[in-house]
Amino acid sequence: MKIARVQRDGQTHLALVDEGRQEVALVGGEIARHANPVLAVIQQGTGAAQLQSAVTARVPLAQVKFLAPFSAFLRNPFAVGKNYHDHALEFDKSGFNATSGATSAIPAYPQIFTKATLTLNGPTDPIRYSPQHTQSVDYEGEIGVLISKTARHVRKADAMQYVWGFVATNDVTARDLQKNHAQWFLGKSLDGFCPMGPWITTTDEAPTDMRIQTWVNGEQRQNAHISQLIFDIPTLIEQMSAAMTLLPGDLILTGTSVGVGVGFNPPKFLKHGDVVRVAVSGLGELNNPVEEI
């Protein structure tokens, strides 16, 4: 199942996506009227058959605008730093590493942080920033994981039972704030700095080795597979749930690959007028313009 929120003729709808037919099925009923319907589907365990039975219309993809799948985050999305080998090395050399001084550029344990709830952004909405606040806005194309049920002390062997689905994300980062404040939260948490969508794909339909690619103005910058993660998804869930309770609808951004702007010499930071495209096999694409405010 591929589930989304879309806008058509000024109205917002819960929708099921059929990539093959290039159409969306608009879903009605009580769950569609929920203030955060996709989150409600996850939390209530609503199945594809139940949603299909509530379909009211089918329309071409070209006739709708995709919104962020969630109306709002349940709580701060979680994210993982330096989870691809080559990116860990490029970031360590960049001079912007808030964790520099560690004995190795490759972390021994997952580096978990969060982004503020108002970072939520849609798949085609602008990434906005003030040049008076930051002059080093960077992209990080990532695969996001959605938790399906309450998870505490989950064993690695059982961890995928707690994954509801996957979504394309962009962990947008203000590198100067990340460095100056000697931690990652502020630089990751500017409003709108977490584009996600255009839909969420459930685990049964997602490719086993998803490929993630990022372009800026048509120039490819990133190209990796989820199998290249240093700490795979079961490891992340095991270690996170050992420390805290994960909740249905929690989002975990699994890390970005080599090719971010800060890794170039000189760095290739985002600027007004740029367009960042993030594509993940089976998860669709983000296409976000960059705007100064």
Side-chain angles (χ1 to χ4, degrees):
M1 175 169 66
K2 295 179 174 69
I3 192 167
R5 288 191 315 129
V6 301
Q7 194 172 71
R8 181 173 183 256
D9 297 333
Q11 300 294 316
T12 299
H13 301 270
L14 180 64
L16 301 176
V17 181
D18 188 328
E19 277 193 281
R21 295 182 177 179
Q22 287 291 288
E23 69 176 20
V24 297
L26 306 181
V27 178
E30 182 178 352
I31 200 158
R33 293 189 291 271
H34 193 281
N36 202 342
V38 176
L39 179 61
V41 166
I42 297 173
Q43 292 175 328
Q44 297 175 22
T46 309
Q50 186 176 346
L51 294 172
Q52 287 286 357
S53 69
V55 168
T56 60
R58 299 180 186 274
V59 298
L61 253 62
Q63 291 186 11
V64 302
K65 172 188 167 120
F66 282 91
L67 308 174
F70 289 153
S71 309
F73 281 131
L74 170 68
R75 54 180 178 175
N76 282 16
F78 302 101
V80 187
K82 302 198 301 184
N83 204 20
Y84 287 82
H85 284 89
D86 288 347
H87 170 64
L89 294 172
E90 76 171 346
F91 187 54
D92 195 61
K93 296 174 182 176
S94 70
F96 285 80
N97 186 2
T99 60
S100 60
T103 56
S104 172
I106 308 300
Y109 299 94
Q111 297 186 345
I112 309 296
F113 60 93
T114 71
K115 296 170 73 75
T117 53
L118 292 184
T119 55
L120 179 65
N121 208 350
T124 59
D125 293 333
I127 297 166
R128 294 191 171 104
Y129 72 99
S130 167
Q132 284 73 45
H133 188 217
T134 177
Q135 297 186 5
S136 56
V137 176
D138 207 350
Y139 54 87
E140 292 191 4
E142 307 196 15
I143 295 169
V145 173
L146 281 305
I147 297 297
S148 63
K149 55 187 177 181
T150 302
R152 184 74 165 119
H153 299 301
V154 175
R155 297 183 305 167
K156 183 176 178 177
D158 301 325
M160 292 306 295
Q161 298 175 26
Y162 293 80
V163 175
W164 194 85
F166 304 90
V167 65
T169 62
N170 186 350
D171 179 17
V172 185
T173 307
R175 297 294 184 192
D176 44 6
L177 301 183
Q178 183 181 33
K179 178 183 178 182
N180 293 344
H181 292 272
Q183 48 74 50
W184 296 354
F185 181 70
L186 283 180
K188 299 282 189 176
S189 290
L190 281 68
D191 291 355
F193 267 32
C194 190
M196 67 176 297
W199 55 75
I200 299 171
T201 301
T202 51
T203 53
D204 59 315
E205 288 196 17
T208 56
D209 189 13
M210 286 173 277
R211 181 186 185 191
I212 181 165
Q213 301 175 87
T214 303
W215 296 261
V216 178
N217 303 329
E219 176 192 0
Q220 187 169 39
R221 302 279 182 85
Q222 296 182 289
N223 186 3
H225 290 262
I226 196 170
S227 60
Q228 297 173 276
L229 291 174
I230 297 172
F231 303 104
D232 61 15
I233 292 167
T235 299
L236 296 175
I237 292 174
E238 180 183 63
Q239 297 208 11
M240 291 177 68
S241 70
M244 60 179 292
T245 301
L246 298 175
L247 301 175
D250 272 341
L251 172 65
I252 304 171
L253 282 65
T254 55
T256 201
S257 67
V258 69
V260 296
V262 77
F264 290 90
N265 187 15
K268 295 183 177 182
F269 294 130
L270 298 175
K271 60 185 184 301
H272 181 80
D274 286 348
V275 177
V276 184
R277 175 186 170 208
V278 176
V280 184
S281 48
L283 308 186
E285 297 184 1
L286 309 174
N287 286 277
N288 299 98
V290 179
E291 294 181 2
E292 288 185 4
I293 55 175

